[in-house]
Each structure stands twice: as structure tokens, then as C-alpha cells.
Amino acid sequence: MATAPIVCDLTGAPDTAEQRMAEYGRLFAQSLAGRDRTEQRVRLRFRTDGGVEAWVRDLAAREKACCPFYDFGISATGGEVWWDISLVDGGANDDPDTARMMLDEFYDAPDNVAGGVAGMKERLANSGIAVTTNESGTVMRFDRIDVDA
């Protein structure tokens, strides 16, 4: 069964994929308070250190611009900034396994961000998702592969 690819396009972004990963690393190291996971959503929770809410909102807006298959919600509650990450409604209907893997990448990001883009590609390939990039590295395409072949 053919499924629509998931594409991340950083062509118009002010940063590269590696710079974005490094920024996530800084945010997690500075302010991550915890994380929660359901079938449909990941929640990253951050301490409300000075400027963290604005930082999270800015990062989420940049992520949405390059990865429109994600939905993001940001709220401040109980002394924390919550970043809720899910997939656009209907975006996972044809391939829920890939959708879960993409959400898992966000949930596991605090543990894996140091591996950069190469580490992400390797983890996804081991889970059955090939990541191909254009020549400049600004566009990443995620496609299901048969890992048993």
C-alpha cells in the first residue's frame, strides 16, 4: 500500500537541521521539566525560566513552517510551559505506524538530540523509515521501507 510521504522543508528557515537540533539540545538542557506520551500526542514540559515560553513558541512556529504535518499547542500552566505535539487531523489515517514513529522522535528527542540529524536518520531507518534529503540538505523526506527485505 502506497502512502503519502512526510516531508520536512527547511528551505526558507533561518537555520539548518543541525542548528535546529543543537537548539533543541540547549532548550532541553536548560529547561526540560518532563514529558508525557499518549497514542495521539506528546507533551514536552518546560520550567518557566526567563524567556522559555517565548523560546518554545518561536521554535514551535519554525517547526510548523517546515513540518506542516505536525500540530503544536503551547500553554503555560502550573508553573510550566507545555508544548503539545500531535499530527494534523487525518494526516495519519493511511499510516498510523509511521505517525507514531514521528511522534516518538519528539518524545525521545531529549535523549537523542546529541546524535544530530545523522542519529535521527539511523534511528528512523532501524524503525523502517528512510530519510532522504535534497542536495543542499534543506528538504528531508520520510518514507516507509521494508526492514525485513
Side-chain angles (χ1 to χ4, degrees):
M1 172 173 84
T3 59
I6 296 174
V7 177
C8 176
D9 187 349
L10 286 158
T11 302
D15 52 356
T16 66
E18 286 296 344
Q19 290 169 331
R20 181 85 48 97
M21 291 282 241
E23 182 176 358
Y24 273 109
R26 290 188 303 276
L27 177 62
F28 295 150
Q30 176 182 319
S31 299
L32 186 68
R35 55 195 163 164
D36 306 298
R37 177 80 165 85
T38 68
E39 275 295 305
Q40 304 299 321
R41 175 189 49 79
V42 167
R43 174 174 287 156
L44 301 175
R45 297 185 283 98
F46 299 94
R47 292 181 294 280
T48 56
D49 304 335
V52 168
E53 183 176 355
W55 187 4
V56 169
R57 287 184 185 282
D58 175 65
L59 187 53
R62 286 184 281 137
E63 272 307 303
K64 182 64 177 176
C66 69
C67 297
F69 52 91
Y70 284 120
D71 265 339
F72 300 115
I74 313 295
S75 59
T77 185
E80 291 183 335
V81 176
W82 290 357
W83 183 355
D84 290 325
I85 304 150
S86 60
L87 292 160
V88 172
D89 282 343
N93 290 343
D94 60 348
D95 193 355
D97 292 336
T98 299
R100 274 192 292 281
M101 285 183 223
M102 298 308 290
L103 284 175
D104 287 346
E105 270 302 300
F106 257 108
Y107 181 81
D108 294 334
D111 301 324
N112 297 328
V113 73
V117 173
M120 176 193 69
K121 287 180 178 181
E122 183 177 343
R123 278 188 311 281
L124 288 172
N126 290 337
S127 297
I129 298 185
V131 182
T132 54
T133 59
N134 65 347
E135 191 172 307
S136 66
T138 57
V139 179
M140 289 184 282
R141 178 180 163 140
F142 304 88
D143 291 291
R144 294 281 289 155
I145 56 174
D146 185 1
V147 292
D148 295 327

